[in-house]
Amino acid sequence: MTAPMPISLEVNGERVDLHVLPRVNLADFLREHLHLTGTHVGCEHGVCGACTVRVNGEIVRACLMLAVQVHGKTVQTIEGLSDSGEVADLQSAFRERNALQCGYCTPGMLMAAEDLLKQQNEPSRELIREHLSGNYCRCTGYQAIVDAIEATAHSRRGRPR
Amino acid sequence: MIVARRQAERLSVLDRPNSYIGKTVPRPNLDRLMQGRGLYVSDIELPRMAHVVFLRSPHAHAKIVAIDASAAKRMPGVIAIVTGRELAAVITPWVGVLSHLKRLKSAPQYAMAIDRVCWQGEAVAAVVATSRALAEDAGEQVLVDYEELEAVTDMQTALDPKTPVIHPALGDNLAFERLHDTGNVDQAFEAADEVVEAEFVFGRHTGVTLEPRSVVADWNSAEGRLTIYQGTQAPHMVQNIAALHLGLREQQVRVVCKDVGGSFGIKVHIYADEMATYALSKLLRRPIKFVADRVESFNTDIHARDHRCKGRIGVRRDGAITAFKIDDLTGIGPYSMYPRTSAIEANQVVNLVGGPYTTKSYRARARVVFQNKNVMCQYRAVGHPIACAVTEGLVDLAAIRIGMDPVQIRKRNLIADDAYPCASPTGLRFEQLSHQACLTKLVEMMDYAGLRAEQATLRRTNIYRGIGVASFIEVTNPSAAFYGVGGARISSQDGVAVRLDAQGSVICQTSITEQGQGSEALTAQIVATVLGVAMERVRVILGDTDNTPYGGGTWASRGAGIGGEAALQAAKVLRKNILDVAAAILQSNPAELDIAGNAVVNAGDREPRIELSELARIVYFRPDTLPPGIQPELMATRHFVPREYPFAFTNGVQASWLEVDPETGFIRLLKHWVVEDCGTIINPQLVDEQIRGGVVQGLGAALFEKCVYDERGQLTNANMADYLVPMAGEMPDIDVGHVVSPTRESELGAKGAGEAGTAGAAAAVINAVNDALGPFGTLVTEIPLTPQVILTALGRL
Amino acid sequence: MKASAFDYARVASIHHALEMLSLHGEQAKLLSGGQSLLPAMNLRLVSPQILIDIGDLAELRGIAVDSDVLRIGALTRHVELLTSHLVAAHAPLLSDAVKHIAHPAIRNRGTLGGSLAHADPAAELPACMLALNATIIACGRDGERRIAAAEFFQGIYATALRPDELLAAVELPIARQNSVDFFQEFARRHGDYALAGVAARASVASGGFSKLRMAFFAIADRPVLANAAAKLLNVAITPELIADASVAFGNELNPPEDQQASSSMRRHLASVLFRRCVEALLARGRLYGGAG
């Protein structure tokens, strides 16, 4: 048995100082140590995208990062993005378009979508589909999600910056 | 085209002012899920909770000679290691048969294997520890001595005399056989000008719910109660079965179902490892959590399809189809699943083949065999994709043979829209379908003629595009005919209780469940409409056997049609009760009052008379001011089950437009269309999204999904990198249209829509691929349509 | 699905990393992006006793041009290859190839060095190194070792790296004026590992090839150069010649078989890719005025 290691990081704007075993991945750390259960675990081998979170502003698979690797970094989860209001318009578009059914993929899907919208203000449907290509949704068939992201991009373009 | 069949007096409830019926309104529970504040079973933590990891057989078929857990028991964090034999003292075995499926047989199945494992992935021991990781560590130290036995893997040889019999007590590996023969089939084939045959092959695939199966079982020995937190579609069924096999009364078991991360029929069964988890909680007297990991999901979530079906069709030169004949074979793993059995899919195939057509001559045989692979059972659109692909594949082959357009041959043979009520050759009764109207609408929506022209133009530049069309019928709103008549304690009726709270809002408890379909939304829409309150005033409670009426849950496209009608009827009673009280308070006549905008109003001039909040205040806090003899009942409960028709059939038609690269065998889906008829549409958006999601599951089966077993019964692609599911990049946009033929069995008139998409998607794609490859003279009848399959058919390898 | 227990060390210098490597030998694994290693560990396919995290080593970062060489540090992430102007200008093949690697969240973590050292035969970047005739720079306690890409990849997950070495950087000859790059792969879904793929660089002059390196992947135990490309050098290219060469190329191969594709299918797809690649390179050569 290896020993827990101290880590310090910022999660959703809050400073976190904890000891964690090296083998604990970021998804389990967020869920089990910080009780941020909005980050979901779907495959644990980096394929499904349900655990997508932001580290230092970039999306990553939380199941493919160790908690000890985020020492000194900033992490944002769906709880943080919701509370800050950053994705409020995207969530609203998802609601209007029923772009989620069971909701299990949705936090990761929102993370990936917001990542795209930050990079592209006028993404084509093809580009949206490509950017989501690592996020599995079994319920919707994806079209509603693509519609919601397209609509959000459109409304953000009309918004004064 | 709308087929309006509702009578004038029935309009009163559904078409009230400010009705939510037929309107797209957002689901009330979405913010919770979008903000990461849902509560899935894997999120649940209870005091003293321990985690179980099941040690699973690496062999498809083996004798368990010995289990040595002594080293593992000394590992850090280990609470207990329990074998199948030890657990059998706590929970009894089961046999997955139903009496209406004649001669269906299966063997007793235990929560964990006792002395023999019958598929790779069957649990042989439970490792309970303080964390999942520690339990996995300890599991590696449990030594199991196996003596490998010959595995029965190929369903085509499962019945050969040389093949070992998996359960010797059963005599052979034949679980079930059904024969059907009506309408003088031999004569009908003789009357045909052409007879065409093909064999269709359907890959074994599975549901891949994004949230794996999960259970937290909490036995409170002081209360003598077991609380099961589980993502299940049928909480009362789980309650009944857990109680039965643990030796408890049902009232000692509570099943709580919060948010569920996808179900699709995967989470409507009783799994051995879930039963083992309940039993472990009772044995160890503490909460036990089981969350399948993805590899376990592939190895133990039920698989589906895996059929080989030989089909034959007779057709006259004028396009009339004279007869269908099929011979279907499917392998279901070593046990028939409990309690719904694993014979239903094959049985459905027999029932549904030829279903949309007027043809009366039909012969069928279906055989269901045991094998040493994971169990198979009902998954979204049970049997439909197979029946549809076989039927529609044969119809296209017949059309090609006689040189008729695929749309034309369907128009010629689909049941006429004015021919109802009528029945299929297998005795399925159709109340009112709309095949012809749907086809007409589809042809218009997709611009069939325009696409044909485009196809012809592109072919001149060696671009091969194809159009595939598939008509289908779907079984929805099942009555007791599905399971109950065979002895299963699976409720076909559902119940809803509605009550006015003390501030004039509405609490609604329903026995249907939510896995994202919109059960909560449609229930709130119906209740709000009937009562005349805003939807935000209605709070829906579901998924808790302690706090909802008794009922079946959400499966087989039954939630809206059955649970929705119960909600409508309960709300009607509450409305009457409210108006009775209002009339007493207002010294008026109930017939002169109505409810609208959260207030009792005059029926005539719509003038508000008393707010519901004020009425509730009087009833609950100042009943002394009511006239003598009035005892208000601001709560009402109603149950519903269809009685006249065993199933409410729906129908529809799908079309696929795609491109095949004949050099590489790759298929690009360009567009997909669906026109369907699910009766009254409560929320158009939710119906469309059920259709779209269902289509994409069907497209997954058509192109990608297959559980690949080797000859020793090893599942070789049990991970998400190797088992391919449909992702956003490859899926087309899907246009959905509707024809509306409400069922007269209920006032609501709604039928189901959950499975229509999956029913016909693969068939449309197969037909489109064969259409695209027409110039090459090839025929492909195997899914998934991998590049390997296509290139092999084209003779390029 | 939880990884076995292991120790973890975050190193502050290459020297420190090499010390740790030699101390722990086979028990240790270097951790850079972790996008291949961590799934394998979660599945308990590998269970190292210690992970040496080189993620903080600034010495292994950076993309720079020095005379006619593009040097890319091992810790350069896929996303950085994708957005780098230097890469786009001097090794556009890499910019094209990276779009096919997995998905955005993976590309934000996965590194060039990690991909090359992992040496998955179906991976894109090793084939690019071969096509671009890269030099791979390995760092050991005795100093640097320069290894040609053609010698570096030695089989499934096998490279010329010694257990006590780490991959520090790659050096690529920069694209010349008349050079054209082409990348294509056949994958079942966006971001999946390919059934067959090609990465190529050519020099096109007067409608023909003066240089042509076509590296194929997912069709052998390592990326391989098409010998048949030689048939197309310094000759007038005709459709018949391309067809002959692509058949000849197919005959060079003995591809492995797996669930996704049989050996013969991989050979077939590789031949199709060969032809399409040659046609595309010629077309690009003409388009960019490479005829000069």
Side-chain angles (χ1 to χ4, degrees), chain B residues 14 92 121 256 290 351 437 458 467 470 534 537 610 618 632 705 764 766:
Chain B
L14 295 173
T92 57
V256 180
F290 166 60
N351 280 340
L458 288 170
I467 301 168
R537 290 274 190 111
I610 181 170
I618 294 169
E705 297 186 43
I766 300 167

Side-chain angles (χ1 to χ4, degrees), chain A residues 17-52:
Chain A
D17 300 283
L18 280 174
H19 282 72
V20 62
L21 287 168
R23 71 157 137 178
V24 174
N25 66 46
L26 178 57
D28 287 346
F29 175 73
L30 291 168
R31 291 176 52 78
E32 291 164 17
H33 294 238
L34 304 185
H35 306 285
L36 290 166
T37 53
T39 299
H40 293 155
V41 171
C43 75
E44 298 179 274
H45 51 284
V47 187
C48 78
C51 65
T52 306

Side-chain angles (χ1 to χ4, degrees), chain C residues 251-265:
Chain C
N251 292 334
E252 290 173 25
L253 302 174
N254 185 18
E257 177 149 351
D258 65 17
Q259 288 167 5
Q260 299 293 342
S262 65
S263 179
S264 59
M265 170 151 155

